[in-house]
Amino acid sequence: MLKDMTVRSTTEIIFDILEIADRGSFGGRYDDDHTDGVMQTEIINKALVGYNQLKEYLKVLTESDLLSFDSATRKFKITQKGRRFVQIYNNMSDLVKEAQEQQI
């Protein structure tokens, strides 16, 4: 998440948002029973995205079932599908790093 302040791709921003939602407001545990979820303002602050940009991402992520929204608490929670995305993204990142290290 947010390694440096270079321009991020859409995929990197999605990863950051999902990872923030997975951790939840209280440092997050990795199961649905304990993850509290996060409010929009927390995502804005941690993912470093603007409100209008975030609204678009949240719409896509909830429609794609990567995030769910609890209207009672007004919080976003990662879904199992979202966790799978994060896992695959991490695996791909590791493969790219390994390939780059082998070229050096």
Side-chain angles (χ1 to χ4, degrees):
M1 183 168 60
L2 299 180
K3 292 156 190 74
D4 56 44
M5 292 308 300
T6 59
V7 176
R8 295 177 288 166
S9 70
T10 299
T11 306
E12 289 170 315
I13 294 171
I14 287 171
F15 170 77
D16 288 340
I17 292 169
L18 291 173
E19 194 172 54
I20 291 162
D22 197 16
R23 290 202 169 111
S25 292
F26 298 104
R29 297 172 188 95
Y30 293 92
D31 60 68
D32 288 329
D33 296 332
H34 295 98
T35 301
D36 174 66
V38 290
M39 297 185 88
Q40 282 186 16
T41 52
E42 188 171 352
I43 298 171
I44 289 169
N45 293 330
K46 289 182 178 179
L48 303 176
V49 294
Y51 174 74
N52 289 328
Q53 185 182 21
L54 180 63
K55 279 188 355 184
E56 292 299 317
Y57 279 108
L58 292 177
K59 181 178 186 231
V60 169
L61 292 171
T62 54
E63 288 175 354
S64 301
D65 195 35
L66 296 171
L67 281 180
S68 63
F69 179 68
D70 182 344
S71 57
T73 62
R74 304 201 46 78
K75 292 186 177 185
F76 290 89
K77 291 175 71 171
I78 194 168
T79 63
Q80 288 300 322
K81 186 176 176 182
R83 283 194 186 101
R84 182 75 178 128
F85 177 96
V86 168
Q87 180 183 31
I88 291 169
Y89 182 92
N90 281 327
N91 290 343
M92 288 175 38
S93 271
D94 291 345
L95 289 173
V96 169
K97 285 176 191 171
E98 286 176 24
Q100 289 172 340
E101 289 172 1
Q102 289 176 357
Q103 290 179 352
I104 295 177

